[in-house]
């Protein structure tokens, strides 16, 4: 297989830009090796699966100047205002979130944190919150701006932070007074204005308070403006880079690899536009526009994609609005999968180079999403590979050496473990942080901002301890000072983004401010009278590994019964349609149709049909395939005209009884 792939890569080297790689992982040394290979080879087309991180990194760039990962000091917060984040259903790092929930609920009545869940559906997270605010679909940002309006109008914001460390507050406050009064926001969100005012006052007086964004589990892209609306609350509350608030996740001080060796072809590749249209400096670092990539492939724009690599990604099942992507695959000459499983996308591949599962291979475990301090661990193999697989890192090193020249020179290591160790040496040389060698440590408790004396004396000692224990962690850079936290043109947090102007984004004043714009769902209302909204649950895997059979046994009969999926419908809506519990129905959108059964629940908003994601596999094995339906097959993605990011919930549907 590697010989076949080497010959194909040699044959297309003069058109190196035609190589595309899609990774399901965003962090770690293996994704870095894939990105490194493409750069050395001469292609700009390294992509990641779409996720909420795209909106967050873009929002951080435009408001704070750096497109980094966002971290929340949740354990120290006294009020958590969650805008759609399924905080105990897979958002962030699930084990960390469950521990944080235990901290919030661990104190006395006066000491415990207040949790408010803003969401359309009555989820498990909503049921565990102190308060569920049921908003109209897709209007969370409007509610955030309504809360901000009350805080500004009543002077309930952190004047010290806002006056000294923010830019554009006057423009933002004028927008709030004009467009987001409680009356106007109540009409948009269907949340009573009295409740909006009460939420604003409670959020303002509770110290510290933090607002969360990243809908569902954070796997689906969302609106950058929605993120900015929620982040504006954190800025008004003075909760940026403070204990109990929100910060950017610091990166572990890993050593850098040698610079990529660029030959004439790869130097030309540096100048090529990406197939997602993000050429130049505008979006090259913070994000990628995957749906633009799909459209460009389908329409034959820019140039052909001759080969696509897939690593830890199963877009033929997991991508919201999956049908256009499957159509686009037919335009690619060679599809190569590095998957450990015969998933839906691997079934469409021309060449499969299977990797060991995560239980069978060595790999780094980077900082979990949403964490406020740096962490680094090793994922150790707990058993030997059972089949004829090879570590993807080792495959890349072998491919590079087979190609020779600058590509080979960019991969000077004998194997993946050697390359990984070279990065980890940076931790030992930095002389900061500790290895968590005692169970139950709580770094967030009284330790943030404090330098930790290393409990290892050399690289070999550090590697051994990482292999035997849990992870390395460092809390010293968890909360940067406000003077150093912002690298925008104003050197401040920007409500009105000069950074957007600097990067060449053109528009009116509203373009540069947090604002709410309603998504117009796909489908004619007369033909498709209801709204279809997918939802994620911790019991159903959403990602490159399918839900195993023993996990399906944990599902209730009103979620999956036999091979039948259930959709959630409000009893009133069901009555209007003549439906009762368990009825078989057909769901039809512009993209196609699916069959499911009906579950009646008051947790579902009237006129909205809720469908779980993660089921409906046609790949893997006989124990997994055919269980339920795949909601992504009938969703229609709606893209924002300014950022190009996709909203995942804007699909109209009609439902009829079988």
């Amino acid at each position: 297989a590697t010989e076949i792939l080497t010959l194909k890569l040699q044959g297309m080297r003069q058109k190196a830009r035609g190589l595309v790689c899609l990774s399901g992982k965003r962090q770690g040394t293996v994704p870095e090796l894939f990105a490194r290979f493409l750069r050395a080879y001469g292609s700009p087309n390294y992509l990641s699966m779409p996720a909420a991180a795209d909106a967050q990194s873009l929002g951080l760039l435009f408001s704070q100047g750096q497109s980094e990962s966002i971290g929340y000091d949740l354990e120290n917060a006294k009020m958590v205002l969650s805008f759609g984040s399924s905080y105990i259903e897979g958002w962030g790092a699930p084990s960390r979130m469950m521990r944080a929930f235990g901290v919030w609920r661990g104190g006395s009545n006066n000491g415990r944190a207040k949790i408010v869940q803003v969401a359309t559906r009555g989820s498990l997270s909503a049921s565990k919150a102190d308060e569920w605010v049921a908003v109209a679909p897709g209007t969370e940002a409007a509610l955030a701006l309504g809360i901000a309006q009350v805080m500004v109008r009543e002077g309930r914001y952190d004047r010290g932070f806002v006056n000294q460390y923010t830019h554009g507050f006057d423009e933002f406050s004028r927008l709030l007074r004009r467009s987001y009064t409680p009356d106007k926001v109540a009409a948009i969100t269907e949340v009573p204005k009295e409740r909006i005012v009460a939420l604003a006052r409670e959020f303002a007086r509770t110290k510290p308070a933090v607002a969360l964004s990243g809908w569902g589990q954070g796997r689906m892209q969302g609106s950058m403006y929605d993120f900015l609306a929620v982040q504006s609350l954190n800025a008004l509350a003075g909760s940026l880079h403070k204990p109990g608030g929100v910060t950017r996740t610091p990166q572990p001080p890993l050593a850098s690899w040698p610079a990529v060796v660029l030959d004439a072809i790869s130097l030309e590749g540096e100048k090529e536009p990406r197939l997602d249209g993000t050429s130049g400096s505008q979006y090259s670092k913070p994000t990628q526009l995957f749906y633009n990539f799909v459209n460009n492939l389908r329409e034959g724009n820019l140039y052909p994609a001759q080969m696509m690599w897939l690593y830890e990604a199963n877009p033929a099942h997991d991508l919201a609005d999956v049908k256009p992507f499957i159509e686009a695959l037919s335009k690619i000459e060679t599809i190569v999968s590095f998957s450990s499983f015969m998933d839906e996308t691997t079934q469409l591949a021309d060449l499969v180079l299977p990797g060991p599962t995560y239980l069978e291979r060595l790999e780094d475990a980077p900082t979990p999403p949403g964490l406020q301090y740096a962490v680094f661990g090793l994922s150790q193999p707990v058993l030997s590979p059972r089949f004829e697989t090879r570590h993807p890192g080792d495959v890349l090193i072998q491919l590079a050496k087979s190609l020779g020249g600058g590509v080979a020179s960019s991969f000077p290591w004998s194997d993946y473990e050697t390359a990984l160790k070279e990065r980890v040496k940076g931790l030992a040389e930095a002389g900061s942080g500790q290895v968590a060698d005692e169970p139950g440590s709580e770094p967030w408790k009284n330790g943030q901002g404090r330098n930790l004396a290393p409990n290892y004396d050399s690289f070999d000692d550090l590697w051994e301890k990482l292999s035997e224990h849990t992870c390395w962690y460092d809390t010293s850079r968890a909360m940067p000072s406000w003077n150093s936290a912002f690298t925008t043109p104003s050197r401040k947090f920007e409500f009105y983004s000069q950074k957007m102007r600097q990067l060449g984004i053109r528009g009116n004043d509203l373009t540069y401010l947090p604002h709410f714009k309603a998504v117009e769902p796909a489908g004619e209302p007369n033909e498709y009278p209801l709204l279809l909204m997918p939802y994620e649950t911790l019991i159903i895997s959403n990602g490159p590994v399918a839900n195993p059979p023993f996990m399906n046994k944990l599902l209730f009969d009103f979620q999956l019964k036999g091979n039948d999926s259930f959709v959630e419908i409000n009893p009133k809506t069901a009555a209007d349609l003549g439906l009762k519990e368990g009825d078989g129905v057909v769901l039809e959108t512009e993209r196609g149709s699916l069959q499911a059964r009906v579950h009646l629940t008051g947790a579902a908003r009237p006129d909205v049909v809720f469908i779980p994601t993660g089921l409906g596999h046609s790949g893997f094995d006989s124990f997994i395939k055919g269980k339920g339906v795949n909601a992504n097959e009938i969703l229609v993605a709606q893209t924002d005209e300014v950022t190009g990011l996709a909203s995942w919930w804007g699909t109209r549907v009609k439902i009829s009884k079988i």
Side-chain angles (χ1 to χ4, degrees), residues 37 63 198 219 342 571 620:
F37 188 100
S63 62
R219 292 183 177 274
M342 186 55 72
F620 296 90

Side-chain angles (χ1 to χ4, degrees), residues 307-598:
M307 181 185 290
M308 173 180 266
W309 291 0
L310 296 132
Y311 168 67
E312 296 287 338
N314 184 18
H317 178 274
D318 299 340
L319 190 68
D321 201 357
V322 68
K323 286 193 173 180
F325 171 77
I326 294 176
E327 293 173 10
L329 283 183
S330 65
K331 306 285 187 178
I332 302 175
E333 180 182 323
T334 306
I335 301 168
V336 182
S337 174
F338 291 83
S339 177
S340 304
F341 304 98
M342 186 55 72
D343 55 44
E344 284 79 4
T345 317
T346 304
Q347 287 180 330
L348 302 173
D350 303 287
L351 195 62
V352 182
L353 291 87
T357 68
Y358 72 97
L359 294 171
E360 299 170 320
R361 71 178 187 237
L362 172 70
E363 199 166 337
D364 56 318
T367 306
L371 203 62
Q372 70 272 42
Y373 51 87
V375 168
F376 182 88
L378 295 179
S379 176
Q380 296 281 357
V382 296
L383 70 163
S384 299
R386 294 191 59 202
F387 302 108
E388 191 179 352
T389 59
R390 190 173 300 171
H391 197 294
D394 290 331
V395 173
L396 289 175
I397 292 170
Q398 179 185 345
L399 285 173
K401 293 185 183 304
S402 299
L403 291 175
V407 183
S409 299
S410 298
F411 287 76
W413 313 283
S414 58
D415 55 25
Y416 169 73
E417 184 173 343
T418 304
L420 176 59
K421 284 183 173 180
E422 187 170 321
R423 292 279 272 148
V424 178
K425 285 178 181 176
L427 294 182
E429 294 168 358
S432 62
Q434 294 182 348
V435 176
D437 53 3
E438 294 292 334
S441 60
E442 298 176 319
W444 51 269
K445 190 179 287 185
N446 303 320
Q448 293 175 150
R450 178 169 56 88
N451 289 322
L452 302 174
N455 55 354
Y456 50 89
D457 53 26
S458 65
F459 165 73
D460 290 336
D461 186 31
L462 173 61
W463 184 266
E464 183 178 351
K465 287 186 174 182
L466 285 174
S467 301
E468 293 177 355
H469 300 296
T470 51
C471 64
W472 170 97
Y473 69 97
D474 182 16
T475 58
S476 63
R477 296 182 295 128
M479 297 291 164
S481 69
W482 287 336
N483 289 322
S484 63
F486 309 118
T487 57
T488 54
S490 64
R491 311 300 294 184
K492 299 177 179 180
F493 176 88
E494 295 189 348
F495 288 109
Y496 187 95
S497 179
Q498 295 184 96
K499 189 71 175 181
M500 280 196 199
R501 288 185 180 276
Q502 188 183 70
L503 293 176
I505 295 177
R506 298 290 175 254
N508 55 28
D509 281 345
L510 196 62
T511 303
Y512 309 111
L513 289 164
H515 64 274
F516 167 73
K517 183 179 180 181
V519 173
E520 182 59 41
E524 290 295 328
N526 292 336
E527 185 175 358
Y528 305 101
L530 305 177
L531 193 65
L532 182 66
M533 293 190 72
Y535 70 90
E536 299 161 312
T537 174
L538 192 59
I539 302 177
I540 303 176
S541 171
N542 283 280
V545 181
N547 227 44
F550 57 83
M551 288 296 290
N552 285 341
K553 291 181 180 295
L554 298 177
L555 295 172
F556 292 106
D557 278 352
F558 55 78
Q559 295 172 313
L560 179 71
K561 187 173 184 179
N563 292 333
D564 295 340
S565 280
F566 282 72
V567 294
E568 296 180 353
I569 302 177
N570 186 275
K572 181 181 182 303
T573 303
D576 293 341
L577 296 170
L579 299 174
K580 64 181 185 300
E581 180 72 26
D583 277 351
V585 293
V586 174
L587 306 172
E588 186 176 349
T589 74
E590 287 186 344
R591 283 285 184 259
S593 61
L594 295 173
Q595 291 187 11
R597 292 189 178 276
V598 169

